[in-house]
Amino acid sequence: MWRFIVGLLATVGTLTLLGIGGCAAFLATGSFSTTKPLPQNVVLSLDLRDVPSETTGGGLLGGELFGGKRDILETVQLLWQAADDPRVVGMFVEIGDESAGLGRVQELRQAIAHFRGKGKFAIGFAESLGSGGTHFSDYYLASALEQIWLQPSGGFAVAGLAIETPFLKDGLDRLGVRVEGGKRWEYKSAPDSFTDTAYPPPARENLQQLLDSLYGQFVSDVARERHLEPAKVRQLIDSVPFDSEKAKQERLVDRIGYRNDALDEVTTRAGKNRTLAALAEYANDPARPRPRGDTVALVRISGAIMSGSPSRGPLDDDNVATSDDVVDALDQAASAKEVKAIVLRIDSPGGTYPAADAIADAVGRARSAGKPVIVSMGDVAASGGYMAAMRGDVIVAQPTTITASIGVFGIWPVAHGLLTSLGINVDRLSVGTNAGMYSVFQPPTTAQRAAISRQLDEIYADFTRQVGEARKLEGNRLDAAARGRVFSGIDAKKMGLIDELGGLQLALNIAKAKAGIDESRQIELRTYPPESDRWQKIVDRLLRLAGIDAQGPTVRAPREVRDTLARFGIVARPGNVRLPPLPPLWR
């Protein structure tokens, strides 16, 4: 009886969530949205106080089930379309996300520059560029606009860039915890936080070089946009904080006022009959120009790269990219006759070596099938993220993209000293010389440490061999680009690790050229896997929440759940249950 009640509650809960999901999907398709097109004289309203993320992700409650926000690529595509839409005369942008990744900021800066290049105005408003924080990203984005408004009480405190790393070794030593493992080589700084008490000299040198490159780009771009000398920009940044009036006097902003004052300026520029349209309204406008033409596939890698299927609940965030999913998407795109080229978008700090290697192999197979693969890098494409990219026909990165980190590490904690201090003895029975080699209770033997070191050497040798072959780097050039170093996109291009500096639009233009598509022709950018596959995964997660193992449209379920489903009129068969037909969006 108890098992029946559990099955009943689980099933009712699942069916309720599926019902909610169906309504949400119906809403997401725009079934209730107006079919009335926007009028002439539209000003696009963009709220960038929370810069769009690389993917909408966010799990069921965070975005997949209820529509969520548009990601950075969708946002940029809409801005490029608005630039060519004669009804759109300008944009009004609210600024305020000081933590946005610089790669995404540069995507938006390039889209704004294209928009302004069509003779359209771009006015921005910031409530504050002071009051704590560094305000590096939000001001970098604001500087691309034609006019910056700053609230009188907002102040200016754009303070530069800093990296802060807590080093835990002394604290772990006091606890009696030792970190075992190793890295290849000296510039691979990720494990240093656990194995050192401060930045080792090679890591300090490399990270400072990265900061200098990123900051140099900021200074150069801001100086150009604000018509200041680079030395003056550096001097002003070093003298913050100061008030809004001084920021205006120094030409860092254009006008002082409140949001309504900035909107009055928008009305003056656009005319009294202007319509302020949010990005979502413009996206749903039936009269918006929608590209139609040859198909280019878009495959995404966002988050840590892992093997197999991620171990997460149905409500968890999508913060990993599994090799199975990415390889399947690449294979689908490569085999689709209508797809002329593939753009592989990567925003990943790395992951497991076999998973990244599997994706690199899939990229190579797609190219062998005759489909050009153009890589577009986001905020970061490092370590395994770079490995996934290295076999692309052309690799495009933003100047601020953090990339390379060609190296490997493997570490784990051993609490033998802590346990001993607590009077806890862990005994071991084993078969095999290296059994228990990665134990958290007892340290590895000298022979086991040597075996681990050999494995790190082998992985590093294979990684660098593949990079050398893919990027045609040998000897000293390869060594100078590897050993765990990280680079900005600008420096990575100098090292021969990437080909071009730019964003998604440049990657698409290169894809067209590689596929033999005339540059004047429009293209349709189609996401792989298709949106319907994403919804099917959502359904599968909901079924797992109820203890049901989904296998396509047929699910194997416990007997109690099958019986309960039958009571709701759902067809039950011995050993499985077939769900009712799903809405078209889910097929």
Side-chain angles (χ1 to χ4, degrees):
M1 182 64 178
W2 171 248
R3 295 177 67 187
F4 168 76
I5 293 173
V6 171
L8 173 64
L9 293 175
T11 304
V12 171
T14 298
L15 293 174
T16 301
L17 285 171
L18 286 173
I20 295 172
C23 294
F26 185 62
L27 290 170
T29 63
S31 299
F32 292 139
S33 63
T34 178
T35 57
K36 185 178 179 181
L38 292 171
Q40 298 294 322
N41 227 31
V42 170
V43 175
L44 205 58
S45 176
L46 224 64
D47 188 346
L48 295 180
R49 290 171 293 182
D50 183 9
V51 168
S53 58
E54 186 64 35
T55 62
T56 51
L60 293 180
L61 299 182
E64 286 182 345
L65 188 59
F66 298 107
K69 301 192 315 177
R70 283 175 172 80
D71 61 46
I72 187 65
L73 299 189
E74 292 173 300
T75 300
V76 167
Q77 288 279 283
L78 287 169
L79 293 181
W80 279 77
Q81 291 169 21
D84 294 325
D85 190 335
R87 299 173 304 157
V88 179
V89 298
M91 71 166 66
F92 173 68
V93 183
E94 294 189 73
I95 302 295
D97 187 349
E98 62 174 308
S99 61
L102 295 182
R104 285 175 290 141
V105 167
Q106 286 187 327
E107 288 278 1
L108 290 167
R109 283 176 55 86
Q110 290 155 9
I112 291 169
H114 177 70
F115 187 90
R116 291 180 59 188
K118 298 290 185 174
K120 305 183 179 190
F121 68 83
I123 294 174
F125 170 77
E127 189 176 272
S128 175
L129 290 169
S131 305
T134 66
H135 294 282
F136 192 84
S137 295
D138 47 353
Y139 184 68
Y140 190 27
L141 177 55
S143 67
L145 300 167
E146 175 189 349
Q147 192 178 98
I148 305 172
W149 284 71
L150 179 59
Q151 190 164 299
S153 56
F156 190 91
V158 180
L161 277 176
I163 298 175
E164 291 183 318
T165 303
F167 287 87
L168 310 179
K169 185 178 184 303
D170 281 350
L172 293 174
D173 286 347
R174 292 174 186 176
L175 289 173
V177 176
R178 175 185 174 91
V179 174
E180 292 284 351
K183 65 178 184 176
R184 296 294 182 274
W185 281 99
E186 66 272 25
Y187 295 98
K188 193 73 173 178
S189 59
D192 293 344
S193 179
F194 303 96
T195 59
D196 285 276
T197 57
Y199 292 117
R204 182 178 296 275
E205 169 203 338
N206 185 216
L207 293 175
Q208 187 64 57
Q209 178 187 20
L210 176 64
L211 282 176
D212 291 343
S213 178
L214 299 178
Y215 188 58
Q217 293 177 54
F218 170 88
V219 169
S220 176
D221 291 343
V222 168
R224 183 184 65 254
E225 298 289 349
R226 303 304 304 171
H227 307 292
L228 297 167
E229 291 297 321
K232 180 63 175 177
V233 174
R234 290 180 183 270
Q235 182 266 318
L236 288 170
I237 298 300
D238 288 342
S239 65
V240 298
F242 42 76
D243 61 24
S244 298
E245 283 296 338
K246 180 173 174 59
K248 180 174 179 279
Q249 292 169 10
E250 298 290 359
R251 292 186 289 165
L252 293 168
V253 302
D254 300 287
R255 304 286 292 274
I256 304 299
Y258 293 89
R259 185 176 185 272
N260 283 345
D261 299 321
L263 287 172
D264 287 343
E265 175 68 15
V266 168
T267 299
T268 300
R269 296 288 296 274
K272 291 184 179 180
N273 295 324
R274 62 99 172 142
T275 298
L276 201 64
L279 192 67
E281 294 178 81
Y282 185 70
N284 293 324
D285 178 19
R288 173 174 62 85
R290 287 166 169 79
R292 292 290 185 269
D294 292 308
T295 300
V296 172
L298 174 66
V299 177
R300 299 180 192 242
I301 301 174
S302 183
I305 298 172
M306 307 297 288
S307 297
S309 299
S311 299
R312 62 176 187 260
L315 305 182
D316 290 345
D317 288 347
D318 289 327
N319 55 359
V320 298
T322 67
S323 56
D324 285 1
D325 289 345
V326 178
V327 168
D328 286 349
L330 287 167
D331 288 346
Q332 287 181 40
S335 61
K337 293 181 179 179
E338 67 274 18
V339 171
K340 305 300 183 184
I342 300 170
V343 170
L344 177 61
R345 176 73 176 190
I346 302 177
D347 186 71
S348 171
T352 64
Y353 187 77
D357 186 35
I359 295 173
D361 176 69
V363 170
R365 285 189 284 105
R367 292 181 62 187
S368 297
K371 301 295 171 70
V373 180
I374 313 303
V375 175
S376 170
M377 293 180 168
D379 289 336
V380 58
S383 195
Y386 181 77
M387 186 176 200
M390 65 187 179
R391 294 187 188 172
D393 287 87
V394 179
I395 301 177
V396 180
Q398 291 289 3
T400 57
T401 296
I402 298 172
T403 188
S405 193
I406 300 166
V408 61
F409 74 91
I411 59 173
W412 72 97
V414 177
H416 178 72
L418 173 62
L419 297 174
T420 300
S421 70
L422 296 174
I424 299 172
N425 178 54
V426 177
D427 205 355
R428 177 191 294 170
L429 297 174
S430 63
V431 176
T433 302
N434 289 324
M437 184 161 59
Y438 300 104
S439 170
V440 299
F441 299 120
Q442 297 182 25
T445 65
T446 301
Q448 289 171 344
R449 286 195 180 99
I452 293 166
S453 183
R454 286 195 303 272
Q455 184 182 39
L456 291 172
D457 286 338
E458 290 166 359
I459 294 174
Y460 180 77
D462 188 59
F463 194 171
T464 51
R465 175 189 62 79
Q466 292 200 52
V467 171
E469 291 174 355
R471 300 298 306 171
K472 297 179 173 56
L473 299 174
E474 296 179 353
N476 292 337
R477 285 193 68 204
L478 177 58
D479 191 62
R483 304 187 75 85
R485 294 177 180 88
V486 290
F487 300 105
S488 67
I490 281 182
D491 290 337
K493 188 172 188 294
K494 295 175 184 175
M495 304 305 296
L497 295 175
I498 70 164
D499 300 292
E500 301 291 344
L501 294 172
L504 175 67
Q505 199 62 38
L506 176 59
L508 291 174
N509 289 339
I510 295 172
K512 288 170 64 174
K514 289 285 185 181
I517 302 171
D518 188 272
E519 63 179 0
S520 63
R521 285 179 57 84
Q522 290 186 329
I523 58 170
E524 178 185 350
L525 188 61
R526 185 178 301 174
T527 299
Y528 281 79
E531 190 69 18
S532 58
D533 288 4
R534 291 180 67 242
W535 278 103
Q536 183 60 54
K537 288 182 180 179
I538 293 173
V539 174
D540 292 346
R541 289 196 214 172
L542 290 170
L543 294 172
R544 287 198 299 272
L545 185 64
I548 304 173
D549 180 22
Q551 302 289 334
T554 302
V555 296
R556 295 187 179 90
R559 180 176 55 82
E560 293 80 7
V561 174
R562 297 199 308 272
D563 293 345
T564 304
L565 288 171
R567 287 176 170 81
F568 282 89
I570 299 174
V571 177
R573 299 176 182 175
N576 62 63
V577 174
R578 183 168 295 278
L579 294 176
L582 294 174
L585 182 63
W586 289 356
R587 288 179 181 168

